[in-house]
Amino acid sequence: MPSPRVVLALSGGVDSAVSAVLLQRAGYDVHALFMRNWDEDEDGYCTAAADLQDARRVCDDLGIPLHAVTFAAEYRDRVFQHFLDELAAGRTPNPDVACNREIKFGVCYEHALRLGADWFATGHYARMQQGRLLRGLDPGKDQTYFLHTVPGAMLARTLFPIGDLPKDEVRRLAHEQALPVHDKRDSTGICFIGERPFAEFLAHYLPAQPGPIETPAGRTLGTHRGLMYYTLGQRQGLEVGGVRGAAEKPWYVAKKDLHRNTLVVVQQHAHPLLLCNEFTTEAAHWIAGTAPMAEFRCTVKTRYRQADQACAVRVLPDGRCRVRTDVAQRAVTPGQSAVFYQGDECLGGAVIADVPEMAVEVESAQASGL
């Protein structure tokens, strides 16, 4: 009886390369699928060509077939255009979440089935157990946050070979196997931007719209380059300093007023304008297909690197969620994802839609001239 065929999304990095080794050792008929999701550019920032060469070297070493396919058109239509639309609307999207849903577990998954896959596999740090999506065992690398919108039926046919391993062990296995990518550094940042300056890249697609930088009391401190370049809680790149009557403390983005094209900044890291303990999401996606209950307690992450926060969730009749955290949260940002957990299980999540403003003590700001 032939071995079950698994088609592995191979990126050219160490995680998916070690995944290929582990799948081979487990006796699968392994095929690799390399995706090119971005058109080559002339600036040398796109690494797709080099990544493809690395993927070929890995496949040659392991003796497995490599299938290379381009999904650039689908990526632009389903991920990149949504990214631009969200930025133009004053929100801060997470394209990696959309990429997993639309590309890796969308057109790539479908292509794997056409290649005769019995199983699909990726190099994510995540685990599947009895139809449940569980965190990867390495708490510093867990990637279930980015998988929360993938349909449960697809996850049930997906293997995560390195989900039970810490990153150090993945590197050790890569050295042991003498994989050509054993010392390749991990990629960081948004894939289509790469190492290039964010503002420089974005200017090609969204024209700059400078406007005032103000305090909550309405005092103008400077000029911003365009609201799309900033996110809530941001400290770097404001170019505000030496303000008469203000303390020599850093400034933080507290609000983006789209109607007035105004960036509101504050000096306190935990200023009331940056805090909230309740927010509403768009319609949620649940790994199991439905919410655990209409009202339940769990933990939530409102950004990838955040520690779990205890909360109460109420699912509204239209599928949206009202989330109330036990402790006030800083810089909860519309456009980002709120992802829900019960212990190690990822329940699902939703895009943050509305964050009510908390009361701000304007009188004290006015008294100091701010």
Side-chain angles (χ1 to χ4, degrees):
M1 184 175 178
S3 300
R5 175 171 296 180
V6 58
V7 174
L8 167 70
L10 190 72
S11 66
V14 67
D15 293 334
S16 57
V18 170
S19 296
V21 172
L22 296 176
L23 290 168
Q24 269 196 327
R25 291 181 181 179
Y28 289 99
D29 171 24
V30 183
H31 284 236
L33 180 57
F34 178 87
M35 301 178 293
R36 188 192 299 271
N37 294 333
W38 191 253
D39 295 325
E40 292 288 351
D41 56 34
E42 298 177 357
D43 300 324
Y45 288 108
C46 184
T47 63
D51 291 339
L52 176 56
Q53 291 306 313
D54 286 338
R56 282 187 176 134
R57 292 163 62 206
V58 169
C59 289
D60 288 344
D61 278 11
L62 298 179
I64 61 178
L66 174 65
H67 309 268
V69 63
T70 297
F71 296 130
E74 292 88 345
Y75 190 95
R76 280 185 176 270
D77 291 343
R78 303 186 192 184
V79 178
F80 185 61
Q81 188 57 54
H82 176 263
F83 174 77
L84 295 179
D85 292 343
E86 287 286 274
L87 288 175
R91 290 157 47 117
T92 303
N94 191 317
D96 290 332
V97 171
C99 181
N100 275 302
R101 181 185 66 245
E102 300 293 337
I103 306 302
K104 188 164 287 185
F105 287 88
V107 288
C108 179
Y109 181 94
E110 293 165 2
H111 194 85
L113 296 183
R114 290 195 292 272
L115 293 173
D118 298 299
W119 294 91
F120 183 58
T122 75
H124 284 101
Y125 287 84
R127 297 175 292 152
M128 285 298 296
Q129 188 176 96
Q130 298 177 332
R132 300 182 303 147
L133 177 63
L134 305 181
R135 305 179 204 253
L137 283 186
D138 186 333
K141 296 298 292 182
D142 168 56
Q143 293 174 307
T144 52
Y145 181 93
F146 301 110
L147 298 172
H148 74 272
T149 61
V150 178
M154 289 185 178
L155 291 172
R157 293 187 63 179
T158 301
L159 303 174
F160 299 111
I162 62 172
D164 290 309
L165 301 177
K167 181 71 179 195
D168 289 348
E169 178 65 8
V170 170
R171 286 284 183 189
R172 190 195 68 77
L173 287 170
H175 279 272
E176 176 187 275
Q177 188 71 29
L179 291 173
V181 294
H182 70 269
D183 58 352
K184 185 175 182 178
R185 70 186 182 100
D186 294 338
S187 59
T188 59
I190 300 172
C191 57
F192 52 79
I193 295 177
E195 302 293 335
R196 84 188 83 208
F198 178 69
E200 172 189 304
F201 172 82
L202 203 57
H204 293 294
Y205 303 94
L206 293 177
Q209 295 178 311
I213 298 177
E214 294 182 356
T215 68
R219 179 180 175 183
T220 299
L221 303 181
T223 302
H224 67 75
R225 295 170 295 165
L227 295 181
M228 73 285 281
Y229 299 127
Y230 306 88
T231 190
L232 299 186
Q234 178 177 331
R235 171 181 172 178
Q236 303 296 329
L238 297 180
E239 298 179 0
V240 173
V243 178
R244 181 179 56 81
E248 289 296 325
K249 296 180 181 179
W251 295 87
Y252 302 93
V253 175
K255 180 182 176 181
K256 296 197 287 186
D257 188 331
L258 201 63
H259 298 295
R260 297 194 303 123
N261 191 31
T262 299
L263 197 69
V264 179
V265 298
V266 295
Q267 283 194 293
Q268 298 160 268
H269 184 267
H271 190 283
L273 273 182
L274 279 168
L275 299 176
C276 79
N277 60 4
E278 187 171 322
F279 59 90
T280 304
T281 73
E282 296 179 0
H285 173 269
W286 304 103
I287 302 296
T290 57
M293 289 186 290
E295 296 188 25
F296 60 96
R297 286 190 60 81
C298 63
T299 61
V300 65
K301 288 176 178 282
T302 59
R303 55 186 180 275
Y304 172 49
R305 291 296 182 186
Q306 183 186 30
D308 284 33
Q309 302 297 311
C311 70
V313 178
R314 180 155 66 96
V315 183
L316 304 178
D318 59 3
R320 296 179 301 138
C321 293
R322 188 155 292 148
V323 183
R324 185 171 184 84
T325 56
D326 291 4
V327 177
Q329 301 298 303
R330 181 180 182 274
V332 176
T333 304
Q336 290 288 291
S337 293
V339 182
F340 306 113
Y341 293 86
Q342 287 281 13
D344 276 346
E345 181 180 2
C346 178
L347 302 175
V351 173
I352 298 165
D354 180 59
V355 181
E357 290 183 18
M358 293 186 72
V360 57
E361 298 176 1
V362 176
E363 290 183 4
S364 62
Q366 290 174 330
S368 63
L370 298 178

